[in-house]
Amino acid sequence: MSFISRRLSEIKPSPTLMLAQKAEDLKTQGRDIINLTVGEPDFQTPSHICEGARVAMLSGQTKYTAVAGTLALRKAISEKFKNDNNLKYDPNQILVSNGGKQVIFNAMMATINPGDEVIIPAPFWVSYADIVALFEGKPVIVSTSPKNNFKLLSEDLDKVITPKTKWLFLNSPSNPTGSIYSREDLQKLAKVLLKHPHVHILTDDMYEYLIYDNLEFTTIASVEPQLYDRTLTVNGVSKAYSMTGWRIGYAGGPKDLIKAMMTVQSQSTTNPCSIAQAAALCALEGSREFLKNWLTEFTERRNLVVQLLAKIPELKLIPPQGAFYAFTDCHGVINKTTPTGSKIESDSDFAAYLLEDQGVALVPGSSFGLGPYIRISFATNQTVLKDACERIQQAVLKLSD
Ligand code: PLP
């Protein structure tokens, strides 16, 4: 019998983290690699936030904090929810964790019994299904279509809800597609959810501030207040403030759920890092003026990638509305042959070929539950992006029928 638990044998390590590591390893070996796997902005954490951390360290905020996070930070999060999302979460309805990922992990550990079903629209952020499976829940993957910009349709949701459904996951703007659910989209889903009071909703709003073309951000508990009591609204500072390494995520939700998630956290990491919490407090209380420049830069990068990929007839991209990923259809390269004579049978083959032939590392769509696609992260500068898209074009040109 294996020493490793049966449960773990069902779980894959995060493919994006694995691919990012592979790209870095190849770089260390001296290969000319462009790494477009990363899911983090390339900007520095703004200096006023770093300064907040320095002051916290020197003023002795270096001890355990309350399990749910410092009261000061939870009050600031409560204000954020009120001001930005029109949601009233008292500080005792808020949990701060080591990143959004731990929030989701805590929520699943606190609620999933073996066999419980969790509806996850595909393509999805890589960790959702594995976290659910870790607790012997059943991920119910519902495919979406590019025709609908990869958004879950209410009629498809209606078909997959069963008495065992515990959660529906929503993610807008989406990783990997950048799609945004409009108010009308959410109203339609809410109509179905209101018929099924046993279903809870986990909405992952991590990319809330990274939205292009002045589109509106909305979140389901504010669109349909009748769903407030069964919605966990997840967010964090990782993406919007370029604080991925600080590991601070948070959620607002029903008191009893938050309490159960606190119990989980109290037996794992206790609290998130006290210094990172102080930094997150500065982020939430400080000005978001810097975001304007970041958004301008991200918009230019998105436009550049859209324009350069349009030159490659085998690839198709719906311009992303938010986040910083170009989820690119690569049906056009399937069954083509590489210069070394191997056949491209899947998006993983295509990603492996791009890495081998041109040193471009990106993530195959099948890791997100929908192939054949590739996810190109445009969280890097325009010179690198231009080089990467040209290399992709070169690689595609070398393919034969
Ligand atoms: N949710 C989505 C959709 C993400 O893309 C990510 C990170 O890539 C997370 C959650 C996790 O965020 P964190 O780094 O705060 O754990």
Side-chain angles (χ1 to χ4, degrees):
M1 216 165 53
S2 166
F3 184 57
I4 305 301
S5 76
R6 179 174 46 78
R7 255 188 211 183
L8 206 73
S9 66
E10 314 267 303
I11 309 301
K12 299 181 295 304
S14 162
T16 37
L17 297 182
M18 301 283 285
L19 281 159
Q21 187 58 51
K22 186 169 177 197
E24 289 312 309
D25 290 348
L26 288 170
K27 247 189 210 173
T28 315
Q29 289 163 22
R31 280 210 47 199
D32 171 21
I33 299 292
I34 301 183
N35 184 357
L36 303 182
T37 62
V38 283
E40 58 185 356
D42 55 333
F43 306 118
Q44 291 284 342
T45 303
S47 54
H48 67 281
I49 298 176
C50 299
E51 180 58 18
R54 194 182 72 87
V55 170
M57 258 188 291
L58 294 176
S59 65
Q61 293 182 48
T62 50
K63 312 285 186 198
Y64 294 129
T65 70
V67 169
T70 63
L71 185 59
L73 179 54
R74 282 179 290 129
K75 279 186 175 162
I77 293 168
S78 173
E79 282 296 302
K80 180 255 171 259
F81 277 131
K82 191 171 80 192
N83 298 336
D84 293 353
N85 311 117
N86 197 24
L87 285 173
K88 186 177 177 324
Y89 289 120
D90 291 334
N92 65 359
Q93 290 180 273
I94 290 168
L95 175 73
V96 186
S97 298
N98 294 279
K101 194 182 260 181
Q102 194 192 16
V103 172
I104 298 169
F105 188 96
N106 288 341
M108 293 304 108
M109 188 167 207
T111 57
I112 294 292
N113 292 314
D116 283 347
E117 295 175 3
V118 177
I119 299 171
I120 305 176
F124 48 78
W125 179 48
V126 288
S127 292
Y128 295 152
D130 285 299
I131 295 177
V132 169
L134 194 53
F135 302 110
E136 298 184 25
K138 184 177 160 207
V140 176
I141 309 297
V142 187
S143 291
T144 61
S145 157
K147 278 193 225 113
N148 193 44
N149 207 355
F150 303 105
K151 289 184 280 189
L152 177 66
L153 294 175
S154 54
E155 51 270 34
D156 292 338
L157 172 63
D158 210 8
K159 275 186 221 144
V160 292
I161 294 177
T162 75
K164 285 193 173 166
T165 307
K166 199 138 208 180
W167 288 97
L168 162 69
F169 277 28
L170 291 176
N171 173 218
S172 169
S174 148
N175 175 5
T177 64
S179 306
I180 294 176
Y181 283 81
S182 67
R183 189 170 287 275
E184 296 73 47
D185 294 328
L186 292 176
Q187 275 161 348
K188 284 185 197 154
L189 295 176
K191 212 168 157 193
V192 173
L193 291 161
L194 287 172
K195 290 194 296 178
H196 302 279
H198 65 292
V199 179
H200 281 62
I201 304 104
L202 186 153
T203 172
D204 179 343
D205 300 350
M206 197 53 83
Y207 294 91
E208 168 176 6
Y209 299 132
L210 298 176
I211 291 192
Y212 309 118
D213 310 325
N214 294 319
L215 289 171
E216 185 199 18
F217 172 82
T218 46
T219 189
I220 195 150
S222 72
V223 168
E224 179 44 84
Q226 289 184 73
L227 293 176
Y228 170 83
D229 284 338
R230 47 189 172 114
T231 298
L232 185 70
T233 306
V234 178
N235 210 318
V237 296
S238 296
K239 314 285 174 171
Y241 298 89
S242 201
M243 291 178 71
T244 46
W246 300 78
R247 310 306 302 129
I248 296 290
Y250 56 81
K255 247 186 239 166
D256 52 351
L257 172 60
I258 293 293
K259 201 167 152 218
M261 290 165 65
M262 265 171 69
T263 304
V264 173
Q265 185 158 296
S266 75
Q267 297 296 8
S268 57
T269 58
T270 304
N271 56 265
C273 166
S274 59
I275 300 154
Q277 288 189 64
L281 178 61
C282 283
L284 292 179
E285 287 186 336
S287 157
R288 286 206 302 265
E289 209 38 42
F290 65 89
L291 254 178
K292 283 194 188 141
N293 289 340
W294 290 10
L295 270 179
T296 306
E297 176 61 27
F298 270 131
T299 307
E300 284 174 13
R301 292 173 180 181
R302 180 207 52 177
N303 295 347
L304 179 72
V305 170
V306 168
Q307 181 201 324
L308 293 175
L309 291 182
K311 294 185 181 168
I312 313 174
E314 288 82 353
L315 304 182
K316 287 198 185 70
L317 171 65
I318 302 173
Q321 301 172 312
F324 38 70
Y325 308 104
F327 196 64
T328 309
D329 181 333
C330 62
H331 282 84
V333 300
I334 301 299
N335 289 328
K336 296 214 176 213
T337 306
T338 71
T340 56
S342 11
K343 198 164 200 179
I344 294 187
E345 289 176 351
S346 64
D347 50 15
S348 304
D349 288 351
F350 184 47
Y353 166 62
L354 290 175
L355 185 57
E356 190 48 47
D357 192 73
Q358 296 287 332
V360 178
L362 31 74
V363 190
S366 44
S367 305
F368 306 91
L370 191 73
Y373 283 82
I374 46 172
R375 190 197 73 170
I376 301 169
S377 166
F378 54 86
T380 188
N381 71 59
Q382 296 184 44
T383 312
V384 172
L385 287 172
K386 189 160 175 288
D387 187 6
C389 291
E390 283 167 1
R391 291 191 197 194
I392 296 171
Q393 187 173 20
Q394 282 310 311
V396 173
L397 277 173
K398 286 200 228 165
L399 297 172
S400 52
D401 287 329

